[in-house]
Amino acid sequence: MSSPTENSRPAAARHVLAPVIEFLTQHAPFDRMAPQHLEFLAKRLKLGFYPRGEAVADPDSGPARRFYIIKQGRVRGETASRGPAEEGAWELVAGECFPVGALLARRPVHTVHRAVEDTFCYELDRDDFDQLLAASPVFHDFCSRRMANLLDQALTGMQGALATQVSHDAPFSAALGTLLRRTPVTCRPDIPLRAALETMSAERVGSIVVVDEARRPLGIFTLHDLLSRICARGVDIDTPIAQVMTPDPESLPPSAPAFEAAVLMARRGFSHVCVVDHGRLVGVVSERDLFSLQRVGLVNLTRAIVRAPDIAALARHGQDVHQLIDQMLAQGVAVEQLTQIITMLNDHLARRVIQLELDREGREVIPFTWLAFGSEGRREQTLKTDQDNGILFRVPEGSTADAARARLLPLARRINEGLAAIGFPLCKGNIMASNPACCLSAEEWRARFADWIDQGGPEELLKSSIFFDLRALHGDRGPVEELRSFLLARVSENRRFQRQLAENALRNTPPLGLVRDFVTVSSGEHRNAIDLKLKGTLPMVDGTRLMALAHGVGETNTPARLRALADAAVVTSDEAAAWNDAFAFVTLLRMRRHRQQASRGLPLDNYVDPDTLNGLDRRILKEAFRQARKLQTRIALDYQL
């Protein structure tokens, strides 16, 4: 049998394969595969026809034996017992492929894959699928981490767009030649990989450029290559570096502005660019070099916030957060890290407002802990956020809770107003520390949570979804941890309340359609729109919170909860990773929407018209919603709903 690395074929054969290859290169992951691997795939694909209503694959057919790529038509996934009218059904369209999971696991498919209309599919036998999997790193990465792979592509696209926009900042206009701080670390193509790694370690660099006698760059090898090409595949480190390097590395002249390197890195997905002058290597610019050019740096911004002299200065620094997030997106910072960075900066802003008001108080203040609820409590804030906060206090000796509350409420009101002045709107539901119902002693908070868990109705369930994601923002953390321990123990013992939470978590179903890709709504000025928060992130947040509370997981952050649930074997690591990636992508779309609106001076919202998304984003959003449905299906099975 011929190898997947074959690259020479008669011209006539290549002409026959050209339409197939052209189709493949219009869709992920085939658009990024090496030409020889694409040709191997195209040569072995067979075209199958499935009339409307016919099953393409079903659980009763035994372990999956074919890999399908839809060329034309639609394929619906449905549970055999419920049929096509099932609420959880989903559809695949041209360019999408299946059943990857079943092929990798050597198992039958879980659902019936049925042609919704007359459908043509390219089909690849399992043996050829296995060969392609072993030969193509791109295909292997896609199959082993599909949701993460698609998310990577979406991030790369956003990085490219943002890198172009932030190029207008003066530091990004600096010539690359001015960024060079050292002579590039190089080697010859015939030296063993071992020697190259020793050189990189001694020089403390993340890349080495392979050059010829005239210092023309022939290739580049990075620490990322070490992990993906060497460690993962067990390559002998005495192999000549020419066999494992990335050949023909991208390069720019010393006169090129820095933003061109940022755009190139973002769009092509690598982190180093060679600087070449008249064919000769003169330096290497890394992603870290460009990151250091940020006009608004994280450390400097944090320092400015904690030293701000007044509310007006904090308001200005709050606007700098938007610019910093743009720059970090352009540098490829992960979505989970971005939301935590936003939350961290917002925490600093809130703490500074609190401290400024404490300094103004002029009298001794009853010790209290400022509580963060909701998205801030989960460390999952985007650029659109309002206030969800409260106060926990210990009743002073010889006093009462009511007396302590009366002293704290005026201070809480000034803090809430100060937060509103710097860009955090007052909560429409009045979940704020200035509300007497949110300014409670430790004993009162415990009694309230116990009442919600033991006797709560629909209103209390709604409140629990906000209040149970709590953490300390200012003051003594001890009472908050005691309250959290009480909360976890109480919920884990109450199956009735868990079931109520499960019912609540299933109310907002992801908007996947049977006729169209998405079910959209019209709300106010929005037409044909999806609420990415209500229908996207909220189902995953609610479902993950339920599982965490039911199993005694103390984390409040959704990705951290998923990892902890996987560590505790409540869910599989694959489930946790897929749900986390789905959550990250919907969050990314929300952040992109907010950034676009902020740049135009518009109010921020969470609505997106799916028809305005490009093909890749639509595909990933659909897959993200499928993952949210899988999480909800898991909850429905656990609680027999």
Side-chain angles (χ1 to χ4, degrees):
M1 182 177 293
S2 55
S3 164
T5 59
E6 62 189 9
N7 54 19
S8 60
R9 294 182 49 77
R14 289 199 300 271
H15 178 73
V16 172
L17 296 180
V20 180
I21 293 176
E22 181 181 1
F23 171 81
L24 293 173
T25 54
Q26 295 174 13
H27 305 283
F30 316 108
D31 57 340
R32 297 183 299 116
M33 286 170 54
Q36 65 269 27
H37 300 143
L38 268 179
E39 188 169 338
F40 172 87
L41 173 61
K43 177 185 175 184
R44 286 156 181 78
L45 289 176
K46 300 174 183 176
L47 189 62
F49 172 71
Y50 298 89
R52 177 181 179 181
E54 182 174 334
V56 183
D58 67 77
D60 297 330
S61 298
R65 299 202 57 82
R66 289 185 180 85
F67 174 67
Y68 299 90
I69 307 169
I70 301 175
K71 180 182 183 296
Q72 179 181 324
R74 291 182 293 150
V75 172
R76 175 177 299 157
E78 57 194 42
T79 302
S81 61
R82 297 191 182 182
E86 183 197 5
E87 183 181 356
W90 43 262
E91 287 189 359
L92 302 174
V93 296
E96 297 189 270
C97 49
F98 64 93
V100 175
L103 285 166
L104 293 176
R106 294 294 194 266
R107 62 165 172 78
V109 295
H110 289 319
T111 57
V112 177
H113 293 66
R114 192 181 306 280
V116 181
E117 57 192 44
D118 289 351
T119 298
F120 290 89
C121 291
Y122 286 124
E123 303 174 7
L124 184 71
D125 287 340
R126 190 173 69 188
D127 289 344
D128 292 327
F129 172 86
D130 291 342
Q131 285 194 68
L132 185 61
L133 197 70
S136 170
V138 171
F139 189 64
H140 182 277
D141 186 50
F142 172 80
C143 292
S144 59
R145 45 189 295 276
R146 281 169 292 166
M147 188 65 211
N149 183 281
L150 291 170
L151 178 60
D152 288 345
Q153 293 184 59
L155 280 169
T156 298
M158 177 176 274
Q159 283 176 246
L162 285 172
T164 300
Q165 293 179 20
V166 301
S167 68
H168 298 295
D169 288 346
F172 276 92
S173 299
L176 288 179
T178 65
L179 305 183
L180 303 181
R181 297 290 182 264
R182 59 173 299 166
T183 302
V185 178
T186 63
C187 68
R188 299 294 298 277
D190 54 349
I191 74 163
L193 175 60
R194 180 194 304 274
L197 293 174
E198 290 173 351
T199 301
M200 292 171 66
S201 176
E203 297 287 345
R204 297 183 179 181
V205 294
S207 66
I208 189 167
V209 183
V210 183
V211 298
D212 62 14
E213 298 88 346
R215 291 186 64 82
R216 289 189 294 262
L218 304 176
I220 190 170
F221 187 86
T222 68
L223 291 178
H224 176 76
D225 297 332
L226 175 64
L227 295 174
S228 62
R229 300 179 187 174
I230 310 303
C231 299
R233 301 187 189 181
V235 175
D236 187 345
I237 61 172
D238 288 321
T239 300
I241 194 169
Q243 295 185 22
V244 293
M245 69 183 185
T246 299
D248 304 317
E250 295 285 349
S251 64
L252 289 170
S255 58
F259 78 83
E260 285 191 19
V263 172
L264 193 59
M265 290 180 190
R267 288 180 176 168
R268 298 296 298 274
F270 48 71
S271 57
H272 295 80
V273 170
C274 293
V275 181
V276 176
D277 189 15
H278 296 93
R280 184 176 179 274
L281 180 72
V282 295
V284 176
V285 172
S286 69
E287 187 176 26
R288 179 177 297 181
D289 296 327
L290 298 179
F291 194 84
S292 68
L293 292 178
Q294 292 178 13
R295 183 156 60 88
V296 181
L298 179 59
V299 175
N300 290 336
L301 180 55
T302 301
R303 186 179 296 117
I305 290 172
V306 299
R307 295 176 179 175
D310 51 38
I311 295 296
L314 284 176
R316 292 192 296 272
H317 295 320
Q319 292 302 311
D320 289 337
V321 173
H322 289 241
Q323 181 183 339
L324 177 62
I325 296 307
D326 274 5
Q327 294 171 346
M328 287 188 166
L329 275 169
Q331 294 295 337
V333 177
V335 176
E336 181 181 348
Q337 294 172 340
L338 281 171
T339 56
Q340 294 197 33
I341 288 170
I342 292 173
T343 303
M344 179 196 70
L345 292 169
N346 288 348
D347 285 356
H348 284 306
L349 289 165
R351 290 188 185 112
R352 188 56 183 159
V353 170
I354 294 170
Q355 190 58 53
L356 288 172
E357 292 302 331
L358 285 173
D359 292 343
R360 287 179 52 197
E361 185 67 8
R363 61 172 179 166
E364 185 178 355
V365 176
I366 296 172
F368 67 90
T369 302
W370 188 270
L371 303 175
F373 303 123
S375 61
E376 188 175 12
R378 294 191 303 274
R379 294 185 174 89
E380 291 169 5
Q381 289 187 300
T382 62
L383 296 178
K384 174 180 169 56
T385 184
D386 59 6
Q387 296 186 50
D388 287 321
N389 48 53
I391 281 178
L392 181 154
F393 60 87
R394 292 192 186 276
V395 180
E397 181 132 2
S399 184
T400 65
D402 286 339
R405 189 166 22 255
R407 290 181 58 185
L408 286 170
L409 284 175
L411 171 64
R413 187 171 300 107
R414 292 200 303 274
I415 294 173
N416 286 144
E417 291 170 352
L419 290 171
I422 68 171
F424 301 107
L426 298 174
C427 176
K428 294 180 180 178
N430 202 23
I431 301 176
M432 293 183 294
S434 55
N435 179 354
C438 298
C439 181
L440 305 176
S441 69
E443 293 75 16
E444 289 172 326
W445 278 116
R446 192 177 297 112
R448 170 168 291 186
F449 284 0
D451 183 61
W452 290 354
I453 295 168
D454 296 340
Q455 304 177 33
E459 183 178 350
E460 287 71 27
L461 278 172
L462 178 61
K463 289 179 179 178
S464 71
S465 67
I466 300 172
F467 284 87
F468 284 6
D469 294 338
L470 80 160
R471 65 184 176 92
L473 188 60
H474 169 90
D476 187 1
R477 299 174 184 272
V480 180
E481 294 310 313
E482 292 173 7
L483 180 60
R484 191 192 317 282
S485 297
F486 167 82
L487 173 63
L488 290 172
R490 199 80 170 213
V491 174
S492 63
E493 295 169 355
N494 193 318
R495 186 74 176 178
R496 179 198 61 81
F497 183 69
Q498 291 177 32
R499 184 179 174 86
Q500 286 181 302
L501 288 178
E503 291 172 343
N504 191 62
L506 299 180
R507 294 187 189 280
N508 289 309
T509 57
L512 287 171
L514 292 178
V515 178
R516 300 187 64 199
D517 286 347
F518 305 102
V519 176
T520 58
V521 298
S522 296
S523 175
E525 62 185 38
H526 302 289
R527 297 289 182 270
N528 188 41
I530 295 172
D531 187 330
L532 292 173
K533 180 178 180 180
L534 182 66
K535 294 294 187 177
T537 56
L538 189 60
M540 290 180 273
V541 168
D542 286 345
T544 304
R545 179 192 303 109
L546 164 61
M547 289 191 285
L549 292 173
H551 293 88
V553 172
E555 301 283 357
T556 57
N557 174 258
T558 299
R561 279 172 167 167
L562 287 170
R563 288 190 289 269
L565 290 166
D567 291 342
V570 177
V571 302
T572 68
S573 57
D574 287 344
E575 286 175 325
W579 294 339
N580 193 8
D581 290 333
F583 180 73
F585 179 71
V586 181
T587 302
L588 176 68
L589 284 188
R590 289 180 63 199
M591 293 181 69
R592 186 169 70 185
R593 171 73 171 169
H594 297 163
R595 189 194 60 77
Q596 291 170 343
Q597 291 174 318
S599 67
R600 300 171 185 168
L602 300 174
L604 307 188
D605 61 49
N606 293 297
Y607 288 95
V608 65
D609 179 351
D611 290 341
T612 64
L613 301 177
N614 62 42
L616 178 62
D617 285 346
R618 285 178 63 91
R619 177 177 177 182
I620 307 174
L621 183 59
K622 189 163 63 170
E623 178 63 24
F625 286 157
R626 288 196 198 112
Q627 292 298 332
R629 274 193 173 172
K630 288 181 180 179
L631 191 156
Q632 290 187 326
T633 299
R634 164 67 185 268
I635 291 171
L637 291 173
D638 285 349
Y639 292 93
Q640 298 297 299
L641 295 174

